[in-house]
Amino acid sequence: MTSFPSKGRLLYEGKAKRIYATDNSDELLVEYKNSLTAFNALKKDTLEGKGELNNKISSCLFKYLADNGVENHWVRQVDDIHQVVRSMTIIPVEVIVRNIATGSLVKRLGVQDGLKLAFPLVEYCYKSDELGDPLIIHDHAVLFGWADDEQLNQIKAICLEVNRLLANLFDRLGIILVDFKLEFGLDSRGRLMLADEVSPDTCRFWDKETMAKLDKDRFRQDLGDVLGAYREIWARLQRHFGI
Ligand code: UDP
């Protein structure tokens, strides 16, 4: 952990994070909140310690990705609930990568829950709380100017590389990476980069031995011990990386 940057104006408050300006125009300060939401914020709760766990898990995973060649917005963790990131203009397209069918894919297409997919499925959603993040195709994003063709191709390639790296890491931790959501942005020089967070709020993790859910599905489905699951993910990452 390093020196705490100046905490400037609150620029944005989302469901799980607050974003503040700093005295460096290229950097922002992200505060991870304890709030937990699901079903487009219809279900809400606060869990003491959740923000700290997600800040630590996300910092660890962004560092692992950067160390393995996936450039991203994470700069450094500054304390338990804050991290510094590069300032980015977020592309309003959420990308979901799936290795196993579950969640909205099963609801939408009626395929078997738990079906192992023959290759990773990459889906795009339009980032809009008002519309409930509807599923879109590549051409919607291009037509409506959310991202261009080249950016979308780059995004898909990065998503597949992130999936390869994270699936491999979690496999070594005894965890199946079921699916996850990524967001991308453009920095001040127009460079496309992975952004947002990678945590049990945005990924599905199943224990390889017991198939227990170790992610936000414990909250969505009222399975109990949500924080225990997040703690387990962090404990296994700490053991693996010796932190
Ligand atoms: N996800 C997310 N934010 C969203 C929607 C989905 O982080 O707004 C993540 C979710 O945690 C899961 C993956 O993306 O790891 C796929 O979610 P799915 O489409 O199955 O949605 P859900 O079942 O949560 O409605």
Side-chain angles (χ1 to χ4, degrees), residues 15 38-40 94-98 102-108 123 125 129 132-133 135 177-183 196-197 199-205 215-217 220-221:
K15 285 171 270 196
F39 313 118
N40 205 11
E94 297 191 348
V95 190
I96 291 172
V97 184
R98 302 178 186 272
T102 194
S104 70
L105 177 63
V106 167
K107 269 190 228 119
R108 206 166 52 237
E123 297 176 333
C125 297
D129 284 342
D133 299 343
L135 187 70
L177 177 64
V178 175
D179 58 28
F180 56 95
K181 185 262 303 179
L182 296 179
E183 294 187 27
D196 194 47
E197 69 175 288
S199 74
D201 272 9
T202 63
C203 302
R204 284 194 173 100
F205 299 122
D215 56 64
K216 199 163 93 171
D217 269 353
R220 292 188 189 98
Q221 300 170 12

Side-chain angles (χ1 to χ4, degrees), residues 13-205:
E13 176 154 8
K15 285 171 270 196
K17 299 187 284 294
R18 290 189 189 94
I19 315 281
Y20 296 89
T22 68
D23 47 16
N24 179 342
S25 63
D26 282 335
E27 292 183 348
L28 301 173
L29 185 68
V30 182
E31 178 191 328
Y32 277 69
K33 304 199 298 186
N34 287 331
S35 51
L36 211 53
T37 64
F39 313 118
N40 205 11
L42 284 176
K43 183 177 166 114
K44 286 183 209 167
D45 205 354
T46 302
L47 273 183
E48 197 59 47
K50 198 270 298 188
E52 177 175 340
L53 285 161
N54 273 3
N55 182 37
K56 290 175 172 172
I57 293 168
S58 206
S59 292
C60 173
L61 295 176
F62 274 138
K63 183 173 184 310
Y64 163 76
L65 290 172
D67 288 347
N68 285 279
V70 179
E71 243 194 321
N72 61 71
H73 77 155
W74 184 82
V75 177
R76 64 186 188 276
Q77 187 188 328
V78 286
D79 70 6
D80 284 347
I81 60 164
H82 294 94
Q83 60 182 251
V84 171
V85 301
R86 287 186 230 202
S87 175
M88 313 268 278
T89 306
I90 295 293
I91 293 173
V93 174
E94 297 191 348
V95 190
I96 291 172
V97 184
R98 302 178 186 272
N99 298 305
I100 290 180
T102 194
S104 70
L105 177 63
V106 167
K107 269 190 228 119
R108 206 166 52 237
L109 302 182
V111 295
Q112 192 198 323
D113 201 333
L115 179 74
K116 192 175 177 324
L117 303 176
F119 56 88
L121 177 64
V122 180
E123 297 176 333
Y124 306 99
C125 297
Y126 175 43
K127 190 173 157 65
S128 162
D129 284 342
E130 211 176 292
L131 300 174
D133 299 343
L135 187 70
I136 58 167
I137 61 165
H138 180 114
D139 282 354
H140 288 125
V142 177
L143 269 173
F144 303 120
W146 300 324
D148 67 27
D149 200 55
E150 195 190 322
Q151 288 167 339
L152 287 163
N153 291 336
Q154 216 182 326
I155 284 173
K156 184 169 180 185
I158 299 170
C159 284
L160 291 174
E161 177 62 1
V162 169
N163 185 49
R164 191 184 70 77
L165 290 167
L166 290 183
N168 187 281
L169 169 66
F170 280 100
D171 183 64
R172 282 181 279 158
L173 306 185
I175 290 165
I176 301 168
L177 177 64
V178 175
D179 58 28
F180 56 95
K181 185 262 303 179
L182 296 179
E183 294 187 27
F184 292 82
L186 301 171
D187 73 5
S188 56
R189 291 155 56 194
R191 283 187 310 167
L192 184 116
M193 224 178 282
L194 176 62
D196 194 47
E197 69 175 288
V198 184
S199 74
D201 272 9
T202 63
C203 302
R204 284 194 173 100
F205 299 122

